[in-house]
Every structure is written in C-alpha cells, then in structure tokens.
Amino acid sequence: VMTCLDELGLKYFPSHTAFLFHQIRGDHDEYVQRMSEHGILVGRAFPPMDSFNRLSLSATPDELERFTDTLRKFRQNGWI
C-alpha cells in the first residue's frame, strides 16, 4: 500500500499499527462513495483531517491489492 501511495505521490503517516492515514484529493464523502461502488469500504472522515482517509491494514493481501488497483484507477480518472 505504501509503495502505491508513494507511486501516486499521496502523503501518508507511516504506521506500526493496523491502519494508516493517507491523503486523498477531492471530497472525502465522494471518495468513500466511489470506493464503496468498487466494493471497498474505507474509513470515515476524521476532522480536521478531511483530506486524509483512514485505511485498515488488517485486510487480506488480496483485498489490499484490490484497493491499490482501485486507487490507481481513480488516479487515471483524475479523482485523486
């Protein structure tokens, strides 16, 4: 996940826990909705950090790969 975020130039807070915060661009609610449409549930907003999303890293490797693939598609569409 961190490799993908680096590749896309999205900031994140390194973590030694089961989650990390990563930067999104655009509206947080729209990001959550688009991820949901792709079958991926992501975290709620954490004001005042509305330009970041909380991602659980306790997902399976396949789920995390699907997340990164979707994130790359979002970049291609100009959504992040």
Side-chain angles (χ1 to χ4, degrees), residues 57-66:
L57 298 175
S58 61
T60 67
D62 288 343
E63 290 169 329
L64 292 173
E65 185 174 352
R66 188 163 49 100

Side-chain angles (χ1 to χ4, degrees), residues 10-11 22-29 31-32 50-53 71 79-80:
L10 296 173
K11 296 177 186 174
H22 69 90
Q23 181 183 31
I24 61 169
R25 296 189 178 130
D27 181 72
H28 190 273
D29 291 337
Y31 173 80
V32 171
D50 293 332
S51 64
F52 282 78
N53 183 74
L71 209 54
W79 297 339
I80 59 153

Side-chain angles (χ1 to χ4, degrees), residues 11-48:
K11 296 177 186 174
Y12 58 91
F13 296 99
S15 176
H16 297 283
T17 64
F19 67 90
L20 63 77
F21 281 99
H22 69 90
Q23 181 183 31
I24 61 169
R25 296 189 178 130
D27 181 72
H28 190 273
D29 291 337
E30 191 172 292
Y31 173 80
V32 171
Q33 179 62 36
R34 285 181 173 144
M35 281 291 184
S36 179
E37 290 169 0
H38 285 82
I40 299 172
L41 300 177
V42 295
R44 64 174 174 79
F46 280 86

